[in-house]
Amino acid sequence: MYAILDIESTGGKYNEEGITEIAIHRFDGREVVDKFICLINPEREIQPFVAKLTGINNKMLRSAPKFHEVAKRIVEITEGAVLVAHNAQFDYRILRTEFRRLGYDFQRKTLCTVDLSKQLIPEAESHSLGKLARSLGIPMSDRHRANGDALATLKLFKLLLNKDSEKKIITEVIREETHGELSPTQLDMVFNLPSDTGVYYMHDKDGDIIFIGKTKNIKKRVNQHFTNVGKMARKLQKETKKVTYETTGSELIAILKAYVEQKKKRPRYNHVSKKKLFTHTIDFNQNGTEHIILEVEKSRKLEHKNIAFNGTQSAKSFINKVSEEFALCPSSLGTDNECVHQEAEQSASNCNEKVLSAFEKYSIQDKDIALTDQGRETGERSFVLIKNGRLQGFGYVELNHQINNIHILESIMTPMRSDENTTFIVETYLRKNNRLKTIPLTS
């Protein structure tokens, strides 16, 4: 017996969300034998973006029953059934949290149609419910409402049951009642973690660091480690006895710290490659030709006026991006060898100026700059210091601090070892994030 479930929640801080709508279809493998669909008064405000997404607002829920009024019905309709949901970890966690507030330990086995579809339909471009349903021709209505999504999940589940002819995967994917939930020890560890950007460290019983990670939400990411399936997740769940962390405010600092510390400490469950993080480069040198021609080259070495990329696709995407942004000449892209709009010498010079403007914007080579971002608290800014094109370190200043003096920043920063990979990390982040502010530095 299965209970196909979908929940809409208020959004908000992790483990503080409330249920706004629930839909459960009790399914015996052939047909729906019972169903429960209900709006619920969460007794807390709905986040504006959630209200916009679902169409459920606070006014609609004022007269709706509260969770304790429908809890018995939920227990009854799911009794003896496996909970089935798309991203079951989320729905099961929200449901258990609500029951825990009532002092009731709600436990069911769960089955996630994301996990199942990844194994049975690995070729799908996306395993999100909406895109997967469209690609499979599953009709959907009332998207992002509990019953609309539950019905789509039910139709998807029927299709997956048919595809799993040997019934092996379903047996393997069904999780035990407490899987996807934290043990009391893990719950204590997660409870004390912040929902902030930073680096976290997972320690074994001897206090040794066994894994270093970086994330924009420490609490959420560690919780995922404790609830994920897979060989690596099971090892971390078994061996982690303590989690420590450092908030950074800046995602770039978190990425750099995690890379440098993984390389230095080499925790047993981090895969720390000795190879370069990049595989290809684009050369911005003239190389004896009239025009600077941007071409993707396979290389694991950064040289003068080169920018590194991980894969040809990201390099080609960058060329397309700067071509449009700086209106690059066809000659600079290797598609036209002649400048037809003006005298060749003048035209080549103009084309090269545009190419070098792109390099100047997206490279840190030979620069003395501070890359500033949000800090760890209000009134603070983070900075990453670059000197002569090389990473020096990171630090934090007050908003009214004199941030454009390189000597002051050097005196307050935390030093960080630089290499070609740190240059690649910084430049990759610069290409993808517009919110970083670049400040030229003076002596």
Side-chain angles (χ1 to χ4, degrees):
M1 190 67 72
Y2 305 97
I4 315 300
L5 168 72
D6 189 81
I7 285 171
E8 301 300 330
S9 74
T10 58
K13 290 185 178 180
Y14 186 83
N15 269 0
E16 293 182 11
E17 311 100 319
I19 295 175
T20 59
E21 188 176 36
I22 188 168
I24 303 172
H25 293 256
R26 190 172 175 89
F27 177 61
D28 66 3
R30 296 178 300 279
E31 61 182 354
V32 174
V33 295
D34 193 5
K35 60 185 175 182
F36 174 65
I37 304 158
C38 187
L39 288 170
I40 295 175
N41 183 344
E43 301 182 84
R44 64 201 68 208
E45 293 293 305
I46 302 174
Q47 297 293 305
F49 79 93
V50 175
K52 186 176 179 181
L53 179 69
T54 64
I56 301 172
N57 56 50
N58 295 306
K59 186 176 179 181
M60 290 170 58
L61 303 179
R62 285 174 189 162
S63 60
K66 297 174 182 177
F67 184 79
H68 70 87
E69 297 176 81
V70 300
K72 183 180 178 182
R73 175 74 170 119
I74 293 171
V75 170
E76 291 172 347
I77 197 171
T78 61
E79 189 70 42
V82 176
L83 292 184
V84 178
H86 207 73
N87 190 10
Q89 178 184 318
F90 170 81
D91 295 81
Y92 188 48
R93 175 178 68 81
I94 296 292
L95 198 53
R96 285 206 71 185
T97 298
E98 287 282 18
F99 274 108
R100 192 181 291 118
R101 290 171 185 149
L102 300 179
Y104 181 80
D105 186 20
F106 179 83
Q107 294 190 13
R108 298 288 185 269
K109 292 184 179 181
T110 63
L111 179 60
C112 181
T113 49
V114 175
D115 295 343
L116 191 53
S117 62
K118 282 180 179 179
Q119 296 191 51
L120 288 170
I121 316 174
E123 69 280 5
E125 184 177 336
S126 169
H127 292 91
S128 70
L129 183 58
K131 291 181 180 179
L132 194 58
R134 280 195 296 274
S135 68
L136 296 172
I138 296 173
M140 288 195 73
S141 60
D142 293 329
R143 185 75 177 99
H144 299 300
R145 289 295 299 267
N147 195 45
D149 287 357
L151 286 172
T153 303
L154 173 60
K155 291 167 185 173
L156 171 63
F157 185 55
K158 287 179 180 178
L159 186 150
L160 294 172
L161 281 174
N162 291 332
K163 288 182 74 70
D164 187 23
S165 56
E166 296 184 14
K167 307 302 177 193
K168 288 183 178 179
I169 294 178
I170 288 182
T171 303
E172 294 172 2
V173 176
I174 288 181
R175 300 169 177 175
E176 293 300 322
E177 287 89 340
T178 54
H179 200 95
E181 272 292 305
L182 308 185
S183 69
T185 302
Q186 292 169 339
L187 194 62
D188 287 340
M189 283 189 275
V190 171
F191 180 79
N192 292 312
L193 297 175
S195 300
D196 298 327
T197 299
V199 180
Y200 58 93
Y201 310 86
M202 305 181 86
H203 304 257
D204 64 12
K205 60 182 175 60
D206 298 318
D208 295 331
I209 296 174
I210 58 175
F211 186 85
I212 299 175
K214 85 284 184 186
T215 178
K216 294 170 75 171
N217 187 324
I218 295 171
K219 182 188 288 283
K220 182 177 180 180
R221 186 69 191 100
V222 173
N223 181 80
Q224 289 171 342
H225 283 302
F226 287 152
T227 56
N228 282 348
V229 295
K231 193 176 293 185
M232 168 72 125
R234 286 195 294 271
K235 288 179 180 178
L236 288 176
Q237 290 157 17
K238 181 179 179 180
E239 297 183 35
T240 301
K241 303 303 178 186
K242 182 181 179 182
V243 180
T244 58
Y245 63 89
E246 287 185 35
T247 59
T248 61
S250 162
E251 185 184 15
L252 175 58
I253 293 176
I255 295 170
L256 288 167
K257 273 182 65 65
Y259 163 73
V260 171
E261 293 177 0
Q262 286 171 7
K263 188 176 178 181
K264 182 179 179 180
K265 299 181 183 299
R266 297 194 172 273
R268 77 176 73 121
Y269 293 125
N270 282 111
H271 174 68
V272 183
S273 174
K274 294 181 180 180
K275 297 180 181 179
K276 297 290 191 298
L277 297 177
F278 55 91
T279 57
H280 294 74
T281 59
I282 294 176
D283 187 359
F284 285 75
N285 289 291
Q286 204 160 337
N287 296 323
T289 60
E290 190 175 41
H291 286 88
I292 299 173
I293 300 175
L294 300 184
E295 295 179 319
V296 181
E297 301 175 355
K298 190 167 186 178
S299 174
R300 287 191 179 274
K301 188 175 182 181
L302 268 178
E303 298 176 335
H304 184 64
K305 279 192 166 59
N306 276 16
I307 295 182
F309 300 84
N310 184 21
T312 56
Q313 189 56 51
S314 61
K316 289 178 180 177
S317 295
F318 174 75
I319 291 176
N320 292 336
K321 175 183 177 179
V322 296
S323 173
E324 183 176 336
E325 183 179 354
F326 293 91
L328 300 186
C329 307
S331 303
S332 304
L333 306 175
T335 57
D336 186 359
N337 293 322
E338 295 185 9
C339 294
V340 296
H341 301 299
Q342 41 189 309
E343 292 295 325
E345 184 177 343
Q346 182 184 356
S347 182
S349 176
N350 289 341
C351 292
N352 290 343
E353 282 181 15
K354 293 178 181 178
V355 171
L356 292 175
S357 294
F359 178 79
E360 176 67 18
K361 178 175 180 180
Y362 292 107
S363 172
I364 63 173
Q365 199 169 107
D366 299 325
K367 290 181 179 177
D368 292 339
I369 56 174
L371 301 172
T372 66
D373 199 354
Q374 65 187 27
R376 299 159 296 184
E377 55 192 35
T378 304
E380 183 180 73
R381 298 289 289 173
S382 64
F383 70 86
V384 171
L385 180 62
I386 308 294
K387 187 176 180 181
N388 297 324
R390 294 180 66 81
L391 173 68
Q392 301 298 304
F394 70 94
Y396 300 90
V397 294
E398 299 298 321
L399 287 177
N400 61 356
H401 199 288
Q402 185 65 29
I403 196 173
N404 63 352
N405 187 302
I406 195 167
H407 296 306
I408 294 176
L409 296 185
E410 284 179 322
S411 68
I412 62 176
M413 74 176 185
T414 301
M416 188 173 281
R417 186 181 294 274
S418 174
D419 59 23
E420 288 182 315
N421 283 338
T422 58
T423 299
F424 167 71
I425 289 170
V426 171
E427 292 185 342
T428 299
Y429 198 83
L430 276 175
R431 292 195 294 269
K432 296 179 179 178
N433 294 270
N434 295 324
R435 80 179 194 182
L436 281 182
K437 185 178 180 182
T438 302
I439 300 178
L441 298 176
T442 58
S443 299

